[in-house]
Amino acid sequence: MARTENKETAGPAARLVARMVLTIRKQRGWSQERLGQELGFTGAAVSAMETCAQPPSDQMLVRLEEVLGEGSGFFEESRKAVRREKFPPLFQDFADLEARAATLFLYSMQTVHGLFQTEAYARALIGGGFPQLSEPRVEELVQARLERRSLLDREPTALIELVIEEAVLTRAIGSTEIMRDQLLHLAACARRRNVTLQVLAQDCGLYGENAGDRGNLTVIETLSNDRLVYLEVQDESILIEDPVKVSLYFQRYAKIRSQAMGPRESLGLIEQLAGEQR
């Protein structure tokens, strides 16, 4: 379902795509229903896209390139910009960096990291937040989050290290079934050659120290081997480039990683917890 307010807030990429589609469609003498049939979407979906009530999905842009692109590559090139506009403004710059990262060092202590969320988990998490979002906006954010997962299969391969708090694995989001599927998905991700997943045990602090007590942490290594740090809390975010600060945060991440279970032990725990959700 499209949102009327999107007509006023749609980004420039979505507006350009809408204008291009409208122009080509009229040149061909096609109705919105005819174009929808060619694309595999409804006429209402085409109308929502042309009026900017709903930005085009990644799948729609793929089909637009095939049906209307005529080899121009315009709609294919628009996918990245349109995808970016779906994210909250504070996240957009980081999303670009994440997509181009050579290596990501991630520490997640509240929820499963967005790159590793299933669709159902993401929908339950986003839909259950505050302030409450409209269903169309929830769906838009869910799809934007899922599209980030293309990084896992990107060429050149991105290396991803994830340390996740044990409490995240037992914190119920959505339903028992959703949690079981999420844990199984995490286990499958952990078996990827470009992913290293470790669990920070809940009783870590009993052994004298817990380097992960200050919240989520993301260290990005770019293709040019520069490192940056991204921090996010309570819908506020900050990107840190100062080499001295970045070095400190990376040392903290390394300490967190050293205190976590090994990859095999972590995978075993995730599989055990998934079994307990049956």
PDB file of all heavy atoms in Angstrom, residues 47-72:
ATOM      1  N   SER A  47       1.232   2.842 -10.910  1.00  0.00           N
ATOM      2  CA  SER A  47       0.716   4.167 -10.580  1.00  0.00           C
ATOM      3  C   SER A  47       1.406   4.732  -9.339  1.00  0.00           C
ATOM      4  O   SER A  47       1.803   5.906  -9.306  1.00  0.00           O
ATOM      5  CB  SER A  47      -0.800   4.092 -10.339  1.00  0.00           C
ATOM      6  OG  SER A  47      -1.296   5.328  -9.877  1.00  0.00           O
ATOM      7  N   ALA A  48       1.572   3.887  -8.321  1.00  0.00           N
ATOM      8  CA  ALA A  48       2.220   4.334  -7.082  1.00  0.00           C
ATOM      9  C   ALA A  48       3.658   4.749  -7.337  1.00  0.00           C
ATOM     10  O   ALA A  48       4.151   5.721  -6.763  1.00  0.00           O
ATOM     11  CB  ALA A  48       2.162   3.216  -6.040  1.00  0.00           C
ATOM     12  N   MET A  49       4.332   4.016  -8.216  1.00  0.00           N
ATOM     13  CA  MET A  49       5.722   4.347  -8.536  1.00  0.00           C
ATOM     14  C   MET A  49       5.794   5.649  -9.340  1.00  0.00           C
ATOM     15  O   MET A  49       6.629   6.513  -9.075  1.00  0.00           O
ATOM     16  CB  MET A  49       6.351   3.196  -9.324  1.00  0.00           C
ATOM     17  CG  MET A  49       7.797   3.408  -9.741  1.00  0.00           C
ATOM     18  SD  MET A  49       7.905   4.148 -11.383  1.00  0.00           S
ATOM     19  CE  MET A  49       7.126   2.868 -12.357  1.00  0.00           C
ATOM     20  N   GLU A  50       4.905   5.822 -10.315  1.00  0.00           N
ATOM     21  CA  GLU A  50       4.940   7.019 -11.167  1.00  0.00           C
ATOM     22  C   GLU A  50       4.568   8.288 -10.410  1.00  0.00           C
ATOM     23  O   GLU A  50       5.032   9.379 -10.756  1.00  0.00           O
ATOM     24  CB  GLU A  50       3.992   6.832 -12.358  1.00  0.00           C
ATOM     25  CG  GLU A  50       4.501   5.852 -13.407  1.00  0.00           C
ATOM     26  CD  GLU A  50       3.631   5.818 -14.647  1.00  0.00           C
ATOM     27  OE1 GLU A  50       2.504   6.366 -14.596  1.00  0.00           O
ATOM     28  OE2 GLU A  50       4.073   5.264 -15.653  1.00  0.00           O
ATOM     29  N   THR A  51       3.737   8.166  -9.402  1.00  0.00           N
ATOM     30  CA  THR A  51       3.325   9.337  -8.618  1.00  0.00           C
ATOM     31  C   THR A  51       4.212   9.544  -7.390  1.00  0.00           C
ATOM     32  O   THR A  51       3.983  10.462  -6.607  1.00  0.00           O
ATOM     33  CB  THR A  51       1.866   9.191  -8.149  1.00  0.00           C
ATOM     34  OG1 THR A  51       1.740   8.013  -7.341  1.00  0.00           O
ATOM     35  CG2 THR A  51       0.920   9.106  -9.337  1.00  0.00           C
ATOM     36  N   CYS A  52       5.214   8.658  -7.229  1.00  0.00           N
ATOM     37  CA  CYS A  52       6.146   8.717  -6.092  1.00  0.00           C
ATOM     38  C   CYS A  52       5.467   8.436  -4.763  1.00  0.00           C
ATOM     39  O   CYS A  52       5.982   8.786  -3.696  1.00  0.00           O
ATOM     40  CB  CYS A  52       6.874  10.055  -6.022  1.00  0.00           C
ATOM     41  SG  CYS A  52       7.980  10.335  -7.422  1.00  0.00           S
ATOM     42  N   ALA A  53       4.292   7.805  -4.814  1.00  0.00           N
ATOM     43  CA  ALA A  53       3.648   7.386  -3.576  1.00  0.00           C
ATOM     44  C   ALA A  53       4.369   6.180  -2.994  1.00  0.00           C
ATOM     45  O   ALA A  53       4.311   5.931  -1.787  1.00  0.00           O
ATOM     46  CB  ALA A  53       2.181   7.050  -3.819  1.00  0.00           C
ATOM     47  N   GLN A  54       5.059   5.421  -3.850  1.00  0.00           N
ATOM     48  CA  GLN A  54       5.834   4.267  -3.405  1.00  0.00           C
ATOM     49  C   GLN A  54       7.070   4.159  -4.298  1.00  0.00           C
ATOM     50  O   GLN A  54       6.936   4.019  -5.520  1.00  0.00           O
ATOM     51  CB  GLN A  54       5.002   2.986  -3.509  1.00  0.00           C
ATOM     52  CG  GLN A  54       5.678   1.730  -2.994  1.00  0.00           C
ATOM     53  CD  GLN A  54       5.808   1.737  -1.475  1.00  0.00           C
ATOM     54  OE1 GLN A  54       4.952   2.277  -0.781  1.00  0.00           O
ATOM     55  NE2 GLN A  54       6.868   1.167  -0.959  1.00  0.00           N
ATOM     56  N   PRO A  55       8.272   4.222  -3.742  1.00  0.00           N
ATOM     57  CA  PRO A  55       9.471   4.109  -4.579  1.00  0.00           C
ATOM     58  C   PRO A  55       9.551   2.724  -5.203  1.00  0.00           C
ATOM     59  O   PRO A  55       9.052   1.744  -4.626  1.00  0.00           O
ATOM     60  CB  PRO A  55      10.619   4.350  -3.594  1.00  0.00           C
ATOM     61  CG  PRO A  55      10.058   4.013  -2.253  1.00  0.00           C
ATOM     62  CD  PRO A  55       8.611   4.383  -2.316  1.00  0.00           C
ATOM     63  N   PRO A  56      10.161   2.594  -6.368  1.00  0.00           N
ATOM     64  CA  PRO A  56      10.246   1.273  -7.010  1.00  0.00           C
ATOM     65  C   PRO A  56      11.104   0.309  -6.198  1.00  0.00           C
ATOM     66  O   PRO A  56      12.126   0.706  -5.639  1.00  0.00           O
ATOM     67  CB  PRO A  56      10.901   1.589  -8.359  1.00  0.00           C
ATOM     68  CG  PRO A  56      11.673   2.850  -8.119  1.00  0.00           C
ATOM     69  CD  PRO A  56      10.859   3.639  -7.140  1.00  0.00           C
ATOM     70  N   SER A  57      10.664  -0.918  -6.131  1.00  0.00           N
ATOM     71  CA  SER A  57      11.450  -1.939  -5.455  1.00  0.00           C
ATOM     72  C   SER A  57      12.631  -2.332  -6.331  1.00  0.00           C
ATOM     73  O   SER A  57      12.684  -2.007  -7.524  1.00  0.00           O
ATOM     74  CB  SER A  57      10.592  -3.183  -5.181  1.00  0.00           C
ATOM     75  OG  SER A  57      10.230  -3.805  -6.405  1.00  0.00           O
ATOM     76  N   ASP A  58      13.576  -3.022  -5.731  1.00  0.00           N
ATOM     77  CA  ASP A  58      14.733  -3.483  -6.489  1.00  0.00           C
ATOM     78  C   ASP A  58      14.284  -4.400  -7.623  1.00  0.00           C
ATOM     79  O   ASP A  58      14.783  -4.321  -8.738  1.00  0.00           O
ATOM     80  CB  ASP A  58      15.685  -4.232  -5.545  1.00  0.00           C
ATOM     81  CG  ASP A  58      17.131  -4.095  -5.959  1.00  0.00           C
ATOM     82  OD1 ASP A  58      17.583  -2.958  -6.180  1.00  0.00           O
ATOM     83  OD2 ASP A  58      17.817  -5.131  -6.077  1.00  0.00           O
ATOM     84  N   GLN A  59      13.296  -5.259  -7.329  1.00  0.00           N
ATOM     85  CA  GLN A  59      12.796  -6.189  -8.341  1.00  0.00           C
ATOM     86  C   GLN A  59      12.123  -5.451  -9.495  1.00  0.00           C
ATOM     87  O   GLN A  59      12.264  -5.817 -10.659  1.00  0.00           O
ATOM     88  CB  GLN A  59      11.798  -7.181  -7.705  1.00  0.00           C
ATOM     89  CG  GLN A  59      12.425  -8.127  -6.697  1.00  0.00           C
ATOM     90  CD  GLN A  59      12.519  -7.509  -5.303  1.00  0.00           C
ATOM     91  OE1 GLN A  59      12.272  -6.318  -5.107  1.00  0.00           O
ATOM     92  NE2 GLN A  59      12.881  -8.331  -4.331  1.00  0.00           N
ATOM     93  N   MET A  60      11.389  -4.378  -9.156  1.00  0.00           N
ATOM     94  CA  MET A  60      10.733  -3.604 -10.214  1.00  0.00           C
ATOM     95  C   MET A  60      11.762  -2.928 -11.102  1.00  0.00           C
ATOM     96  O   MET A  60      11.610  -2.877 -12.337  1.00  0.00           O
ATOM     97  CB  MET A  60       9.781  -2.562  -9.622  1.00  0.00           C
ATOM     98  CG  MET A  60       9.088  -1.719 -10.689  1.00  0.00           C
ATOM     99  SD  MET A  60       7.942  -0.476 -10.048  1.00  0.00           S
ATOM    100  CE  MET A  60       6.496  -1.503  -9.702  1.00  0.00           C
ATOM    101  N   LEU A  61      12.838  -2.413 -10.525  1.00  0.00           N
ATOM    102  CA  LEU A  61      13.876  -1.759 -11.326  1.00  0.00           C
ATOM    103  C   LEU A  61      14.565  -2.751 -12.262  1.00  0.00           C
ATOM    104  O   LEU A  61      14.913  -2.407 -13.394  1.00  0.00           O
ATOM    105  CB  LEU A  61      14.897  -1.091 -10.410  1.00  0.00           C
ATOM    106  CG  LEU A  61      14.411   0.193  -9.730  1.00  0.00           C
ATOM    107  CD1 LEU A  61      15.344   0.607  -8.607  1.00  0.00           C
ATOM    108  CD2 LEU A  61      14.273   1.325 -10.749  1.00  0.00           C
ATOM    109  N   VAL A  62      14.742  -3.983 -11.794  1.00  0.00           N
ATOM    110  CA  VAL A  62      15.318  -5.021 -12.655  1.00  0.00           C
ATOM    111  C   VAL A  62      14.420  -5.250 -13.863  1.00  0.00           C
ATOM    112  O   VAL A  62      14.876  -5.318 -15.014  1.00  0.00           O
ATOM    113  CB  VAL A  62      15.517  -6.333 -11.872  1.00  0.00           C
ATOM    114  CG1 VAL A  62      15.870  -7.479 -12.821  1.00  0.00           C
ATOM    115  CG2 VAL A  62      16.611  -6.171 -10.823  1.00  0.00           C
ATOM    116  N   ARG A  63      13.110  -5.355 -13.611  1.00  0.00           N
ATOM    117  CA  ARG A  63      12.165  -5.587 -14.711  1.00  0.00           C
ATOM    118  C   ARG A  63      12.033  -4.351 -15.615  1.00  0.00           C
ATOM    119  O   ARG A  63      11.886  -4.484 -16.834  1.00  0.00           O
ATOM    120  CB  ARG A  63      10.794  -5.965 -14.133  1.00  0.00           C
ATOM    121  CG  ARG A  63      10.758  -7.321 -13.479  1.00  0.00           C
ATOM    122  CD  ARG A  63      10.976  -8.437 -14.507  1.00  0.00           C
ATOM    123  NE  ARG A  63       9.883  -8.459 -15.475  1.00  0.00           N
ATOM    124  CZ  ARG A  63      10.040  -8.669 -16.782  1.00  0.00           C
ATOM    125  NH1 ARG A  63      11.258  -8.867 -17.290  1.00  0.00           N
ATOM    126  NH2 ARG A  63       8.989  -8.686 -17.599  1.00  0.00           N
ATOM    127  N   LEU A  64      12.108  -3.163 -15.023  1.00  0.00           N
ATOM    128  CA  LEU A  64      12.043  -1.947 -15.841  1.00  0.00           C
ATOM    129  C   LEU A  64      13.214  -1.884 -16.818  1.00  0.00           C
ATOM    130  O   LEU A  64      13.052  -1.473 -17.968  1.00  0.00           O
ATOM    131  CB  LEU A  64      12.046  -0.710 -14.940  1.00  0.00           C
ATOM    132  CG  LEU A  64      10.723  -0.384 -14.251  1.00  0.00           C
ATOM    133  CD1 LEU A  64      10.919   0.671 -13.171  1.00  0.00           C
ATOM    134  CD2 LEU A  64       9.684   0.097 -15.275  1.00  0.00           C
ATOM    135  N   GLU A  65      14.386  -2.303 -16.362  1.00  0.00           N
ATOM    136  CA  GLU A  65      15.546  -2.327 -17.252  1.00  0.00           C
ATOM    137  C   GLU A  65      15.311  -3.290 -18.408  1.00  0.00           C
ATOM    138  O   GLU A  65      15.647  -2.988 -19.565  1.00  0.00           O
ATOM    139  CB  GLU A  65      16.801  -2.728 -16.467  1.00  0.00           C
ATOM    140  CG  GLU A  65      18.074  -2.760 -17.290  1.00  0.00           C
ATOM    141  CD  GLU A  65      18.444  -1.395 -17.858  1.00  0.00           C
ATOM    142  OE1 GLU A  65      18.228  -0.369 -17.186  1.00  0.00           O
ATOM    143  OE2 GLU A  65      18.956  -1.368 -19.001  1.00  0.00           O
ATOM    144  N   GLU A  66      14.717  -4.441 -18.106  1.00  0.00           N
ATOM    145  CA  GLU A  66      14.474  -5.455 -19.141  1.00  0.00           C
ATOM    146  C   GLU A  66      13.385  -5.023 -20.120  1.00  0.00           C
ATOM    147  O   GLU A  66      13.488  -5.274 -21.326  1.00  0.00           O
ATOM    148  CB  GLU A  66      14.076  -6.778 -18.475  1.00  0.00           C
ATOM    149  CG  GLU A  66      15.191  -7.400 -17.644  1.00  0.00           C
ATOM    150  CD  GLU A  66      14.712  -8.581 -16.816  1.00  0.00           C
ATOM    151  OE1 GLU A  66      13.485  -8.837 -16.795  1.00  0.00           O
ATOM    152  OE2 GLU A  66      15.556  -9.251 -16.193  1.00  0.00           O
ATOM    153  N   VAL A  67      12.353  -4.342 -19.613  1.00  0.00           N
ATOM    154  CA  VAL A  67      11.192  -4.012 -20.448  1.00  0.00           C
ATOM    155  C   VAL A  67      11.332  -2.647 -21.118  1.00  0.00           C
ATOM    156  O   VAL A  67      10.972  -2.485 -22.296  1.00  0.00           O
ATOM    157  CB  VAL A  67       9.901  -4.056 -19.589  1.00  0.00           C
ATOM    158  CG1 VAL A  67       8.696  -3.582 -20.393  1.00  0.00           C
ATOM    159  CG2 VAL A  67       9.669  -5.461 -19.053  1.00  0.00           C
ATOM    160  N   LEU A  68      11.857  -1.663 -20.383  1.00  0.00           N
ATOM    161  CA  LEU A  68      11.927  -0.300 -20.926  1.00  0.00           C
ATOM    162  C   LEU A  68      13.343   0.210 -21.165  1.00  0.00           C
ATOM    163  O   LEU A  68      13.530   1.244 -21.807  1.00  0.00           O
ATOM    164  CB  LEU A  68      11.223   0.686 -19.964  1.00  0.00           C
ATOM    165  CG  LEU A  68       9.748   0.444 -19.638  1.00  0.00           C
ATOM    166  CD1 LEU A  68       9.242   1.551 -18.726  1.00  0.00           C
ATOM    167  CD2 LEU A  68       8.904   0.358 -20.893  1.00  0.00           C
ATOM    168  N   GLY A  69      14.329  -0.476 -20.653  1.00  0.00           N
ATOM    169  CA  GLY A  69      15.698   0.034 -20.676  1.00  0.00           C
ATOM    170  C   GLY A  69      16.323   0.145 -22.046  1.00  0.00           C
ATOM    171  O   GLY A  69      17.149   1.036 -22.287  1.00  0.00           O
ATOM    172  N   GLU A  70      15.986  -0.762 -22.947  1.00  0.00           N
ATOM    173  CA  GLU A  70      16.541  -0.757 -24.313  1.00  0.00           C
ATOM    174  C   GLU A  70      18.062  -0.672 -24.314  1.00  0.00           C
ATOM    175  O   GLU A  70      18.677   0.006 -25.140  1.00  0.00           O
ATOM    176  CB  GLU A  70      15.939   0.399 -25.137  1.00  0.00           C
ATOM    177  CG  GLU A  70      14.432   0.271 -25.325  1.00  0.00           C
ATOM    178  CD  GLU A  70      13.854   1.378 -26.186  1.00  0.00           C
ATOM    179  OE1 GLU A  70      14.544   2.410 -26.363  1.00  0.00           O
ATOM    180  OE2 GLU A  70      12.725   1.219 -26.678  1.00  0.00           O
ATOM    181  N   GLY A  71      18.678  -1.342 -23.349  1.00  0.00           N
ATOM    182  CA  GLY A  71      20.131  -1.394 -23.308  1.00  0.00           C
ATOM    183  C   GLY A  71      20.811  -0.171 -22.733  1.00  0.00           C
ATOM    184  O   GLY A  71      22.042  -0.084 -22.718  1.00  0.00           O
ATOM    185  N   SER A  72      20.019   0.783 -22.236  1.00  0.00           N
ATOM    186  CA  SER A  72      20.608   2.029 -21.729  1.00  0.00           C
ATOM    187  C   SER A  72      21.305   1.843 -20.394  1.00  0.00           C
ATOM    188  O   SER A  72      22.232   2.586 -20.057  1.00  0.00           O
ATOM    189  CB  SER A  72      19.514   3.094 -21.576  1.00  0.00           C
ATOM    190  OG  SER A  72      18.607   2.738 -20.529  1.00  0.00           O
TER     191      SER A  72
END
